[in-house]
Amino acid sequence: MLRATLFLLALSLALVAPGFSARTCVLTGLWVNDLGSNMTIGPLNGKGEFTGTYHTAVTATTNKIQRSPLQGSQHRINQNSQPTFGFTVNWNFSDSVTVFTGQCFVDEDGKEVLKTMWLLRSRVDNIKDDWKATRVGINVFTRLRSQKEFSEGAGASAEPCEQHIPRYAGRLPSAEMLRATLFLLALSLALVAPGFSARTCVLTGLWVNDLGSNMTIGPLNEKYEFTGTYNTSVSDTKKKILPSPLQGSQHNVNQNSQPTFGFTVNWNFSDSTTVFTGQCFVDEDGKETLKTMWLLRSRVDNIKDDWKATRVGINVFTRLRLLKE
């Protein structure tokens, strides 16, 4: 059944792939996002690289906001359609850096939109504060003026707009090659799938992470749900740290192997909430490890501060002892 499903999925993708991304989205130009921040992206060079400026409308510092440089690149394979891209902004008025990644879309009405997600890294004075140094967020940008208008306004040469888009140096794969590749991928997955996850990793028990925080996960019920407690060793508040309740679930498809899972911690000593997601692994020596990523949501008093309310981070947990021990 798995092999048949993978084959049909690959076949469907191969049949519809040529029809994707018929509309062209061009990064070059002036954009504004949902917070009122604006950025200007210059013409792409032959490698798909670009530079520009970013003028943010929000800041977590008390310094005067200044226009800041950005530099990035567009994925060359998608140059003629709806490309993915990424760029870095080094803020001129603070010691923070933000990276953006996203995709340029064209809707049915021909409107161009940049859907982006960002990570804002703030400098901290001590490595012990590293855990709270990165925020995460989402911004949607819409175009203010076209690439042609941007080029004319900047006094650029009167080259056609498409000349600013890099040409893919190699030859794009044919539809037949794409279908064959997808079929072979599906076949390979079908052949190796039974060998995955031979070792069993069990969530239940006491775990400690790289910061010294510990958590206890109780037994799973028949729906693969669990409860427990989390005792963090770090906090952004001045209040006394208290053990806090957690609740979550394990993916039941992988119950007997190396499962994925997620859980929520509602902190007893603050009005913040953290969600974790990850996977339970067993290495060649039989050591169990939880690889997790988390989002910490802090409460803010005004919706205008929503953009800075979420932090992101990574924790690795190792087992201290089984619950029955």
Side-chain angles (χ1 to χ4, degrees), residues 55-249:
H55 195 190
T56 183
V58 293
T59 179
T61 75
T62 57
N63 298 335
K64 181 181 178 181
I65 292 175
Q66 299 175 31
R67 195 178 300 273
S68 301
L70 68 81
Q71 57 181 1
S73 63
Q74 170 184 306
H75 203 296
R76 297 171 66 190
I77 293 177
N78 294 322
Q79 56 163 313
N80 292 319
S81 53
Q82 299 185 108
T84 56
F85 60 89
F87 61 87
T88 301
V89 181
N90 281 303
W91 303 108
N92 277 335
F93 56 92
S94 75
D95 48 10
S96 301
V97 173
T98 302
V99 290
F100 289 77
T101 186
Q103 185 171 352
C104 187
F105 291 100
V106 183
D107 65 19
E108 295 179 354
D109 299 322
K111 181 182 178 182
E112 291 171 300
V113 177
L114 306 183
K115 293 277 194 174
T116 71
M117 178 168 278
W118 52 261
L119 296 172
L120 167 60
R121 172 68 195 210
S122 301
R123 194 188 70 83
V124 291
D125 294 322
N126 193 304
I127 195 172
K128 293 181 180 179
D129 293 325
D130 178 71
W131 67 273
K132 63 178 181 179
T134 305
R135 290 182 168 93
V136 62
I138 293 173
N139 281 134
V140 178
F141 292 82
T142 53
R143 186 182 292 285
L144 281 182
R145 51 187 173 134
S146 69
Q147 182 189 30
K148 182 178 180 181
E149 292 171 335
F150 169 79
S151 298
E152 291 175 349
S157 62
E159 295 174 283
C161 292
E162 55 268 22
Q163 290 188 12
H164 294 299
I165 305 174
R167 297 302 177 189
Y168 184 59
R171 185 177 180 182
L172 291 174
S174 64
E176 290 76 12
M177 179 65 74
L178 179 61
R179 295 187 184 98
T181 302
L182 289 170
F183 171 74
L184 291 175
L185 176 61
L187 182 61
S188 299
L189 288 171
L191 290 174
V192 302
F196 285 145
S197 305
R199 297 172 178 266
T200 300
C201 190
V202 180
L203 281 181
T204 301
L206 180 62
W207 302 86
V208 62
N209 71 18
D210 43 304
L211 295 175
S213 302
N214 65 78
M215 66 176 177
T216 301
I217 296 179
L220 278 66
N221 66 18
E222 66 278 2
K223 296 180 180 179
Y224 304 98
E225 300 166 338
F226 57 83
T227 59
T229 57
Y230 196 107
N231 195 9
T232 182
S233 63
V234 293
S235 172
D236 199 28
T237 74
K238 296 181 180 180
K239 298 179 180 178
K240 181 181 178 181
I241 293 176
L242 301 171
S244 300
L246 68 82
Q247 57 181 0
S249 63

Side-chain angles (χ1 to χ4, degrees), residues 301-320:
D301 295 321
N302 194 306
I303 195 171
K304 292 180 179 180
D305 293 325
D306 177 72
W307 67 274
K308 63 178 180 180
T310 305
R311 290 182 168 94
V312 62
I314 294 174
N315 282 136
V316 178
F317 293 81
T318 53
R319 185 182 294 283
L320 280 181

